[in-house]
Amino acid sequence: MRRMLAPHSITRTFMTYLIFLSVLPLVIVGWTSYQTSRRTLEEESRQYTRELVTNQKEYLDLQIDQIESLLANISGVEEIRDTLESEDPQKNTYTELVTQARIGYILNGYSNLEGLVSIDIFTVNYVHYHVGDTLNVENIRQDVRNALFAKALDDDSFVVWAGIEDNVNANSTHKKVVTAIKTLNHINHATLQQEPIALFLVNYSAEDLHTHFSKTNLGEGAYLLVLDGENRYIYHPDPAQLGQTAPDELTSHLTDSSGSVTTSIAGESMAVNYTHSDRTDWAVISLVPLDTLAAKTAPIGRTTTLVLVASFSVVLVTALFFNQNIVAPIQEITARFQQLQEDKPGSQAHLPVRGNDEIAELMRWFNTFMDSLAEKREAEAQIQASLQEKDVLLKEIHHRVKNNLQIISSLLNLQMEEVEDPDIQHIFQDSKNRVRSMALIHEKLYQSQNLARIDFAGYVRNLSDYLLRTYRAAHVRLTVEADEVYFGVDTAVPCSLILNELISNAIKHAFPNGRSGQITIELRTLPNEIIHLSVRDDGIGLDSYVQSQSPSSLGLQLVRTLVNQLHGKIELVSQNGQSGTEFQIIFPTL
């Protein structure tokens, strides 16, 4: 079978070598440089972001310090404490104005504290003092005030930072504020226990925080977040998210006082840096997409890619040149050999020779080979014609031998008609069958495409049918079990005579007086090119004289002689007194 070669396989091999020797090291160096640069820039970006988060946390702490200082100053004014400790549950206008004036005086010292919305004081007797963005305090959210009061009582901190809350004053323009609360206590002289007398509440503008933090630019898609102690947004780039609870996919990573993690937020991989305030447990968080971190390495990646594209272009051009000057001529020779194998017209034409290199020398030798091949094919054609002539003559010889043997068979038949003695007629019949068995061999060879071998399995069936018809043995069934075996003439002729004798003897002697029976012929191939031939019948068996080692029967003498001629062995399997006879013959193929 013709072996098909993959097209351009030499070119691919050359390109592979070229890539491994030149381009691959460049790819490794470029990729390593790119990854190193990317990691370095990412680490610098992360460090910058961590410092930025820390700075923003410190800014919050500064605001917290000022607000706590403000609360401390207000709660420390004796006049304000005396007013709040007064048992009179009613306040008069003068008292309110004086208290508010004192608070306002204190606020003058915090003029640099931007974003302060209001200061509210609620006594346990429901007296309210207010200084802030509006003087309209008629609509106080009682539920918010009560919740803040309860939260302050549950926490023993100096100042409790409630985080982002609804403004207790519903009339304020600031609906969401950052709230700090503090309770003012006094000692009950009757019980000597501390009791709360008022709630100080400072509201800080969330909008002011939004203005401050939104100025921070962390890069495309990056942003800051500020969460209170309950994971609510104090600052979010989207003001509509103010006061909403942050998702668990973010807050689940904020377990330490500060840290850096990489996680997926809303389906995008983000680098998260965070730090908690020790004062409020608020968290300042930066979220930077990983693509943004690596954005500065994009020019390096593009440059590396351009260099690689240029390198591959050089490889491609070199490969094309290599293909045109080396591979193409070799492919042309390969194609011409394929044409020669398929015997296509023009396959013996010479190939053009270009240059004086090794490829040109290969072309010259190919043309020389074509000249030699043409002479060889002419000689082979003459030999083939001679062989065909000899095959015709050999077939003719087989045909004439077969005809001559048939003539001999016919002469024996005529001679039989002139003899009246039955024993002599049997002798003539046996001779005729022997001649017929040899004639059948030559007939098979004449009909065969291969004059050197004969299909012996088919021959056995034809010979068996002929003998059954000759002896008119309708009462005998004959079975042939044969492998596909081919013999030459030197083996086929002795085997045919052996089978003729054994089958004829079985038909004539194993089933006397029209007794019905079975004759089985087996022809098997054994390992090491050994042939096993068996002729078996279920008739009356042979007598002791015939079973002896040197029988005088002419047929059995002929069988033994022919077996020796085949360098084989014959064995009589059946024993005296038992019905049936089996001859087993083993011989090598010649």
Side-chain angles (χ1 to χ4, degrees), residues 216-366:
T216 303
N217 183 11
L218 296 176
E220 184 178 357
Y223 54 92
L224 281 175
L225 296 175
V226 180
L227 304 182
D228 64 12
E230 298 179 7
N231 293 327
R232 296 173 297 181
Y233 291 119
I234 294 177
Y235 167 72
H236 192 285
D238 181 8
Q241 297 292 324
L242 199 64
Q244 300 295 321
T245 302
D248 291 339
E249 62 179 350
L250 173 61
T251 58
S252 61
H253 298 288
L254 311 179
T255 55
D256 298 326
S257 60
S258 62
S260 299
V261 295
T262 300
T263 185
S264 177
I265 305 296
E268 184 176 10
S269 296
M270 309 284 279
V272 179
N273 290 285
Y274 67 92
T275 182
H276 285 92
S277 172
D278 298 333
R279 308 281 295 279
T280 61
D281 198 31
W282 293 354
V284 180
I285 310 166
S286 68
L287 295 94
V288 183
L290 295 183
D291 293 340
T292 301
L293 285 177
K296 294 181 179 180
T297 61
I300 300 175
R302 287 193 295 269
T303 302
T304 303
T305 302
L306 290 175
V307 172
L308 291 178
V309 170
S311 301
F312 277 109
S313 299
V314 172
V315 171
L316 181 60
V317 172
T318 305
L320 291 175
F321 177 81
F322 178 80
N323 181 71
Q324 180 68 28
N325 293 275
I326 298 177
V327 178
I330 296 176
Q331 289 177 341
E332 192 172 3
I333 293 176
T334 303
R336 184 61 60 84
F337 274 118
Q338 292 176 349
Q339 293 174 2
L340 283 173
Q341 187 174 9
E342 297 170 0
D343 199 18
K344 292 184 177 180
S347 59
Q348 298 183 10
H350 283 195
L351 292 176
V353 178
R354 307 180 185 92
N356 293 312
D357 55 7
E358 290 83 354
I359 298 298
E361 186 68 16
L362 179 61
M363 292 291 190
R364 294 189 188 95
W365 277 106
F366 177 80

Side-chain angles (χ1 to χ4, degrees), residues 137-174:
V137 292
E138 295 179 356
N139 189 5
I140 298 298
R141 294 187 174 94
Q142 302 297 331
D143 56 335
V144 175
R145 183 195 64 182
N146 294 337
L148 293 175
F149 217 136
K151 184 178 293 187
L153 293 175
D154 290 339
D155 196 323
D156 58 358
S157 300
F158 177 74
V159 175
V160 178
W161 288 91
I164 189 74
E165 300 283 355
D166 292 329
N167 197 328
V168 70
N169 185 6
N171 293 326
S172 174
T173 57
H174 300 270

Side-chain angles (χ1 to χ4, degrees), residues 492-558:
V493 172
C495 282
S496 68
L497 293 174
I498 291 171
L499 281 173
N500 177 77
E501 296 302 324
L502 295 179
I503 296 172
S504 299
N505 285 342
I507 294 174
K508 291 188 298 180
H509 304 298
F511 309 102
N513 303 320
R515 175 179 173 174
S516 62
Q518 171 79 31
I519 299 175
T520 302
I521 303 172
E522 289 188 7
L523 182 64
R524 303 296 183 190
T525 56
L526 302 179
N528 300 324
E529 299 183 349
I530 300 299
I531 303 299
H532 176 268
L533 176 62
S534 170
V535 179
R536 182 176 64 253
D537 66 71
D538 57 358
I540 61 174
L542 295 177
D543 56 27
S544 59
Y545 176 79
V546 176
Q547 293 184 39
S548 64
Q549 292 298 322
S550 300
S552 59
S553 169
L554 175 62
L556 292 181
Q557 288 181 356
L558 179 60

Side-chain angles (χ1 to χ4, degrees), residues 381-447:
Q382 294 176 357
I383 294 173
Q384 187 65 29
S386 177
L387 289 175
Q388 290 178 353
E389 182 179 356
K390 290 180 179 179
D391 284 345
V392 172
L393 292 175
L394 189 57
K395 277 196 171 187
E396 182 64 22
I397 290 172
H398 283 299
H399 183 62
R400 293 191 179 187
V401 170
K402 185 260 299 183
N403 289 341
N404 291 335
L405 290 174
Q406 285 181 338
I407 292 173
I408 295 173
S409 178
S410 299
L411 292 175
L412 291 173
N413 194 45
L414 291 175
Q415 194 69 36
M416 283 175 57
E417 293 178 356
E418 297 179 359
V419 176
E420 296 180 356
D421 188 343
D423 293 335
I424 298 177
Q425 287 184 345
H426 288 159
I427 293 173
F428 276 109
Q429 183 64 49
D430 291 342
S431 300
K432 177 183 174 184
N433 290 341
R434 295 178 184 120
V435 171
R436 175 58 183 166
S437 67
M438 291 186 290
L440 189 58
I441 290 290
H442 290 280
E443 182 179 355
K444 283 286 185 181
L445 287 172
Y446 175 73
Q447 296 172 351

